[in-house]
Amino acid sequence: MTLLPLAPDVLLGVALLFTAWRALYTQALFPAVVFFVAFGMLLALAWMRLQAPDVALAEAAIGAGLTGALLMAAVARLRGRDEDRP
Amino acid sequence: MKAFASAALALLLAGLAAVLAWTVTRPVTPGRDVPALIAGALDVSGVSHPVTAVLLNFRGYDTLLELVVLLIALAGVRCLAPLPPPRGSAPVGGVLRELASLLLPVLVLVAVYLLWAGATRPGGAFQGGALLAAAGILALLAGRDRFLWRLEHRLWPLACLGVAVFLAVAAGTLAAGGVLLGLPSAHAGTLILVIEGFALLSIAVTLVALFLGTGELEDRDP
């Protein structure tokens, strides 16, 4: 029973490692960006669990939100370039 | 040649590992109790949230340099050759347009609230600026991009405003006989709010411009 409070944290850690792995090793770029954004949101949750709400807020807004948007824009541009090739 | 490079890399990594191992095994010397120091000096910082007190007052120099880094990043991106804009953008749907008109005022309000809340609880200019930038990007995606025309003409003044105000405050504190960025405790709260307010604007503008990438501000049809 003493392990029960630990379970959500372990689940969070495993999910973090899984999303990080998928973000790095997914071949298609768009799903990789989606995994990156999911990783950022989970990391924000992890910061909350570590009682660092300031870092969590910054991670959610900048790490997951804006970096995700920047990466999406980059993917859209790369796609446009690939279509240029014969 | 390749084997030589690999061997050099391996040697470098082994050296790094050795230094790390040596650092870890060293006994930790008891330093000063920083949280207690901050808590003790909180009364003169002008804010009641320790993180904001460190970021904007005790270590204001670091935050100033962070803003400069953001500016340099924007300059670097704008120096690159313009890419063709993404093609095949579908016409904006009604749902996105309506959702944006609902969400935009809320996002702007929450961004300003985060700035204001930074004095007493988690929040601050970077988080608020990121949220304001998200509002700008949402407006762009929903086709409400008439504000771009204004942004195009005032990009650099707006992006530099945060650093300029921060530097002006720094020069003011220096001229007033204090140390650089040593905010006088009587006006520290107001000064921090002013610095953060302009920093919020500059951060938001810079992030939206980074999202647009290279040269698209000029390329876009009016």
Side-chain angles (χ1 to χ4, degrees):
Chain A
M1 284 311 275
T2 50
L3 281 178
L4 204 56
L6 213 65
D9 291 343
V10 171
L11 195 66
L12 192 60
V14 170
L16 270 172
L17 286 175
F18 175 75
T19 47
W21 169 58
R22 292 308 300 164
L24 284 174
Y25 288 100
T26 302
Q27 283 292 319
L29 287 177
F30 184 77
V33 173
V34 173
F35 273 115
F36 176 80
V37 172
F39 171 76
M41 295 314 282
L42 288 171
L43 192 57
L45 273 181
W47 282 121
M48 279 311 289
R49 286 293 297 154
L50 292 169
Q51 283 155 20
D54 288 88
V55 190
L57 213 55
E59 173 61 37
I62 299 170
L66 268 164
T67 316
L70 284 175
L71 289 174
M72 292 262 185
V75 168
R77 281 168 185 268
L78 284 175
R79 190 172 292 155
R81 282 198 141 184
D82 286 345
E83 283 166 6
D84 286 340
R85 289 182 197 143
Chain B
M1 192 64 205
K2 200 175 175 194
F4 177 73
S6 296
L9 189 65
L11 207 64
L12 210 68
L13 285 176
L16 185 66
V19 169
L20 278 177
W22 176 72
T23 316
V24 168
T25 50
R26 275 174 63 84
V28 180
T29 49
R32 288 184 296 174
D33 190 1
V34 177
L37 269 178
I38 293 169
L42 213 52
D43 290 337
V44 296
S45 70
V47 289
S48 61
H49 186 52
V51 175
T52 308
V54 171
L55 287 180
L56 268 302
N57 198 337
F58 306 144
R59 300 291 303 171
Y61 190 62
D62 295 358
T63 308
L64 172 61
L65 289 184
E66 276 175 26
L67 290 176
V68 174
V69 164
L70 208 55
L71 210 56
I72 293 173
L74 179 63
V77 167
R78 302 284 296 178
C79 283
L80 296 173
L83 283 170
R87 288 191 301 169
S89 51
V92 176
V95 174
L96 180 56
R97 191 168 268 271
E98 290 303 312
L99 192 66
S101 64
L102 274 176
L103 276 180
L104 280 177
V106 179
L107 279 175
V108 173
L109 189 68
V110 173
V112 175
Y113 168 75
L114 273 179
L115 172 72
W116 180 255
T120 52
R121 53 185 81 95
F126 269 92
Q127 290 89 332
L131 211 59
L132 199 59
I137 290 171
L138 182 66
L140 271 177
L141 295 179
R144 298 175 181 273
D145 50 8
R146 265 185 299 173
F147 74 97
L148 270 186
W149 184 78
R150 293 170 182 280
L151 195 60
E152 178 190 336
H153 293 285
R154 301 181 185 82
L155 175 63
W156 285 109
L158 282 174
C160 294
L161 201 57
V163 173
V165 169
F166 216 141
L167 281 177
V169 171
T173 54
L174 201 59
V179 288
L180 189 75
L181 282 171
L183 305 179
S185 64
H187 308 290
T190 320
L191 283 175
I192 286 176
L193 198 62
V194 168
I195 291 172
E196 284 204 297
F198 286 104
L200 173 105
L201 192 67
S202 285
I203 289 166
V205 166
T206 308
L207 291 176
V208 170
L210 283 177
F211 177 79
L212 282 171
T214 56
E216 195 165 325
L217 284 177
E218 289 87 354
D219 294 345
R220 200 167 269 263
D221 296 326

